[in-house]
Amino acid sequence: MIKIYNTLSQEKEVFKSLEKNKLSMYVCGPTVYNYIHIGNARPIITFDVVRRYFEYIGYEVNFVSNFTDVDDKIIKAANEEAISTKELSDKYIAEFYKDYDALGCQRASSNPRVSDYIQEIIDFISKLISEDYAYEVKGDVYFRTRKKEDYGKLSKQSIDDLISGARIEASELKEDPLDFALWKAAKDGEVSWLSPWGQGRPGWHIECSVMAKESLGVTIDIHAGGQDLTFPHHENEIAQSECHNQATFANYWMHNGFINIDGTKMSKSLGNFTLVKDILTQVDPMVLRLFMLSVHYRTPINFSAESIELAKTNYAKLVIAYQNLNFRLSNEMPIPSMDNEVAEKVNTNLETLEKEMNDDFNTANVLSAWYELVKISNIYTEKDEVNKETLELIKAAFGVYSKILGISLEVKEEIKGDYARIEGLIAQREDARKNRDFTLADKIRDDLKAEGIILEDTKQGVRWKKE
Ligand SMILES: [Zn+2]
């Protein structure tokens, strides 16, 4: 039984999907006019883990996340780079996937682009106009906010408060300050499409209503995004969709908290980077992922040199424990029977993992449970005699954490070559010692130490780790 904090009710609710063992999920994606920054990485990683957990417990997940490729920022950036908006978006979508894959996220079931849904958007708006929920003024189309009586229900604001706070820009031709644009008349030099209201392009909010409906149907299980999208974006999505579809738009609304960037301190060690691609030149993607998951997704997180250092230490702890497990597994196993005490501890540990994930995806507590498993594992792998099945059971538990959190502990492809080289040097040193050539043996050891590789002679053979 999963409980999810629903922004709509502001309570943790027991999750029930529309269809048994199926989950439809829509996450607002980036505007593709630049490389993604650390703020984009938080929803990407958070909702990747949510999806992974649903898959782990047996759900078939239809995970949709859009690319906004029609937008003021895109038009401006395309003009600056002197290329078409299509070329600009293609470029940054390719860059998005590079960062996304590097962060260990599973590709979405689909990533619809606004420019591929212009006709569906026009049809959607036409229906809203015909039912009086929207109106056209000089080529612009606006949504009549007052027609949606519960407008403000997601962001918990009353329509009257919102109206008193809203202003009409001189250029806008709205009936009411809170009305928002569904379609914008084309300006000179802008990308545009022909519509019943003349040349123009869609406003921002309409795209998610249309693409969610086209990809997932009129009602979806979970709609998610950053907390900053609650108002006006998600509020407007609800208004358009519920007036158009006459059905609930999304049953659960999930929002991740902000990310604070500790600028001053960052500049010293991490170069004050905020783009994911730049951060990844300094930080292992798995460390960045662990950092993001070290705080509950609704809590603000502080991106600082210290927090990254801590994530690095914790990641190293996981990797070393995992390597020790593999090392002991590669040796002969003298004890034939399973250590029942350890087995019981591992099973209890995995129950804690599920309990914490079921409680609104508390990855901070899940990580603590994983560190507990590391302790169980370390105590066992340090024993003189170990049993194969017990080691395999612990290793499988590590695998469960890895799978759900998307944190891989395996040796990365790009350093596999390096591992082979190090193992080779260790074998040479063993030969040298057998031949009593201690000068050579010590030299190999010292050379490796200079590279930050520490050798440890154990009863089971030589173990090594990176400093
Ligand atoms: Zn959206």
Side-chain angles (χ1 to χ4, degrees):
M1 185 178 75
I2 300 182
K3 281 189 161 185
I4 295 181
Y5 181 88
N6 189 349
T7 310
L8 201 57
S9 65
Q10 302 198 294
E11 272 171 19
K12 278 186 202 170
E13 294 176 21
V14 174
F15 177 77
K16 200 170 173 299
S17 59
L18 289 158
E19 261 184 90
K20 196 169 180 283
N21 292 332
K22 285 193 177 179
L23 173 74
S24 57
M25 187 164 177
Y26 187 94
V27 183
C28 291
T31 302
V32 281
Y33 72 105
N34 201 341
Y35 300 97
I36 58 164
H37 56 81
I38 186 77
N40 301 118
R42 192 168 194 199
I44 286 172
I45 293 170
T46 297
F47 300 118
D48 179 58
V49 170
V50 170
R51 176 232 190 131
R52 280 169 179 273
Y53 187 62
F54 271 107
E55 286 178 343
Y56 169 73
I57 57 171
Y59 278 74
E60 189 188 313
V61 182
N62 194 351
F63 186 97
V64 177
S65 187
N66 65 305
F67 288 131
T68 298
D69 66 350
V70 180
D71 175 271
D72 287 336
K73 291 190 279 267
I74 290 184
I75 294 167
K76 189 167 171 273
N79 287 341
E80 278 165 14
E81 293 195 22
I83 52 176
S84 70
T85 52
K86 167 98 172 67
E87 285 169 313
L88 184 99
S89 320
D90 284 348
K91 173 179 165 186
Y92 288 112
I93 286 172
E95 293 297 337
F96 170 87
Y97 282 132
K98 272 190 214 163
D99 292 340
Y100 190 86
D101 294 345
L103 289 172
C105 296
Q106 297 187 158
R107 289 280 182 106
S109 316
S110 69
N111 290 121
R113 296 169 63 153
V114 185
S115 58
D116 290 332
Y117 284 83
I118 300 296
Q119 190 53 50
E120 288 82 354
I121 290 174
I122 291 173
D123 294 344
F124 197 101
I125 297 174
S126 299
K127 187 175 175 209
L128 286 173
I129 295 178
S130 73
E131 293 177 0
D132 215 28
Y133 289 111
Y135 55 95
E136 187 243 327
V137 190
K138 294 193 175 162
D140 288 342
V141 179
Y142 295 99
F143 185 85
R144 198 169 266 133
T145 311
R146 279 213 184 260
K147 285 274 285 184
K148 178 83 170 109
E149 277 163 21
D150 57 2
Y151 187 84
K153 68 178 170 180
L154 184 70
S155 53
K156 310 293 162 204
Q157 306 174 86
S158 83
I159 197 158
D160 291 318
D161 287 350
L162 284 166
I163 285 178
S164 67
R167 285 215 182 93
I168 299 192
E169 305 261 332
S171 59
E172 293 178 312
L173 306 158
K174 307 178 198 175
E175 287 175 1
D176 199 311
L178 206 55
D179 294 352
F180 57 89
L182 300 173
W183 187 263
K184 296 176 175 182
K187 294 187 196 123
D188 279 349
E190 278 186 5
V191 59
S192 66
W193 290 266
L194 187 62
S195 77
W197 323 288
Q199 285 289 132
R201 64 186 169 94
W204 172 33
H205 316 298
I206 191 71
E207 65 181 74
C208 289
S209 283
V210 172
M211 292 189 286
K213 173 177 167 283
E214 294 298 323
S215 319
L216 299 167
V218 289
T219 303
I220 56 183
D221 290 308
I222 298 177
H223 194 311
Q227 189 187 303
D228 53 327
L229 295 180
T230 312
F231 185 84
H233 185 54
H234 289 161
E235 199 74 71
N236 291 350
E237 283 187 36
I238 292 176
Q240 300 155 163
S241 289
E242 295 192 347
C243 290
H244 181 280
N245 304 333
Q246 294 300 314
T248 301
F249 180 36
N251 284 332
Y252 302 85
W253 285 87
M254 292 181 73
H255 293 99
N256 66 274
F258 291 118
I259 180 157
N260 300 314
I261 295 166
D262 190 351
T264 3
K265 288 181 194 162
M266 290 299 294
S267 57
K268 286 181 202 152
S269 54
L270 294 172
N272 219 0
F273 293 142
T274 57
L275 295 181
V276 169
K277 74 176 178 72
D278 293 335
I279 294 167
L280 293 185
T281 63
Q282 307 286 317
V283 181
D284 185 308
M286 291 300 117
V287 169
L288 191 63
R289 208 171 157 105
L290 189 147
F291 155 74
M292 286 288 186
L293 300 173
S294 65
V295 169
H296 187 271
Y297 74 90
R298 282 187 287 116
T299 309
I301 191 168
N302 196 32
F303 182 63
S304 68
E306 285 83 357
S307 51
I308 289 295
E309 247 346 279
L310 182 63
K312 243 185 225 173
T313 309
N314 284 329
Y315 182 62
K317 210 156 65 179
L318 297 172
V319 170
I320 290 166
Y322 188 68
Q323 282 177 350
N324 286 345
L325 271 172
N326 283 330
F327 179 77
R328 294 306 300 267
L329 270 168
S330 66
N331 281 273
E332 286 300 310
M333 300 300 143
I335 305 180
S337 67
M338 175 78 99
D339 185 322
N340 287 326
E341 204 185 315
V342 172
E344 207 179 302
K345 280 186 185 162
V346 170
N347 289 333
T348 311
N349 183 273
L350 288 178
E351 282 168 20
T352 307
L353 159 91
E354 291 202 13
K355 183 178 135 284
E356 295 297 347
M357 283 305 283
N358 286 342
D359 184 14
D360 195 29
F361 312 98
N362 195 333
T363 56
N365 288 356
V366 169
L367 281 171
S368 302
W370 200 355
Y371 305 143
E372 283 303 314
L373 181 69
V374 165
K375 280 186 205 157
I376 298 168
S377 178
N378 286 345
I379 291 171
Y380 193 67
T381 52
E382 289 303 319
K383 281 183 193 276
D384 288 340
E385 294 184 318
V386 283
N387 157 261
K388 189 171 179 225
E389 283 70 34
T390 313
L391 288 170
E392 274 170 353
L393 183 81
I394 305 173
K395 187 177 170 179
F398 269 73
V400 172
Y401 280 91
S402 276
K403 194 166 191 238
I404 292 172
L405 300 179
I407 295 176
S408 167
L409 306 177
E410 296 292 344
V411 176
K412 293 181 181 59
E413 281 304 318
E414 67 263 26
I415 50 173
K416 264 194 179 153
D418 205 33
Y419 270 62
R421 180 183 63 86
I422 294 163
E423 297 283 352
L425 285 168
I426 291 171
Q428 263 185 39
R429 175 171 166 266
E430 287 305 282
D431 283 347
R433 292 209 297 184
K434 267 180 216 148
N435 301 329
R436 309 193 66 78
D437 184 352
F438 295 112
T439 322
L440 177 61
D442 288 349
K443 186 181 178 302
I444 293 172
R445 182 186 197 115
D446 293 345
D447 287 351
L448 284 169
K449 188 164 192 293
E451 286 185 47
I453 291 152
I454 308 295
L455 303 188
E456 203 184 329
D457 295 310
T458 74
K459 276 182 226 158
Q460 293 81 29
V462 182
R463 225 186 274 190
W464 62 273
K465 64 181 179 194
K466 278 202 166 174
E467 253 180 334

